[in-house]
Amino acid sequence: MVRNCSLTRPLAVVTGASSGIGYELAKQFARNRFDLLVTSTGSSIDEAAKSFKGLGAKVETLQTDLATDGGVETLYNHIQKTGRPVDAIAIGAGVGVGGEFTECR
């Protein structure tokens, strides 16, 4: 009997993957044999994707602003178009804002 075994690696979606925590999370997924769908608001995501590909991952990139409803919908639609289940998702998109936030006033 011949089994139809899929050789597809698991898929991880990582937002904010062009820098910071999102970038580091995407690297960890790639090192652990995940394919990636990575997002960022800018074109720097394409440069980051080269690093992930160098770690053996198949990588798709998407430029979208997840601070907007349209950006979230774009990501959702792109995930659906892959035709693959999402095995892991890391939501690293965001903007750091410095300053005091623990002080009572």
Side-chain angles (χ1 to χ4, degrees), residues 1-9:
M1 175 167 64
V2 176
R3 291 183 183 202
N4 184 8
C5 296
S6 174
L7 299 177
T8 303
R9 294 161 41 133

Side-chain angles (χ1 to χ4, degrees), residues 12-17 21-22 25-26 29 37 39 66 75 86 88-93:
V13 175
V14 183
T15 69
I21 293 170
L25 288 169
F29 281 118
L37 169 56
T39 73
L66 296 177
L75 174 58
V86 174
I89 190 163
I91 308 299

Side-chain angles (χ1 to χ4, degrees), residues 14-23 39-41 64-67 90-97:
V14 183
T15 69
S18 64
S19 64
I21 293 170
Y23 178 83
T39 73
S40 180
T41 56
T64 190
D65 184 356
L66 296 177
I91 308 299
V95 176
V97 178

Side-chain angles (χ1 to χ4, degrees), residues 24-55:
E24 294 300 326
L25 288 169
K27 281 188 357 185
Q28 289 302 315
F29 281 118
R31 286 184 177 134
N32 286 282
R33 303 186 48 79
F34 279 76
D35 288 334
L36 300 171
L37 169 56
V38 293
T39 73
S40 180
T41 56
S43 61
S44 57
I45 193 63
D46 295 322
E47 190 63 34
K50 292 177 187 177
S51 297
F52 311 142
K53 289 176 183 177
L55 295 170

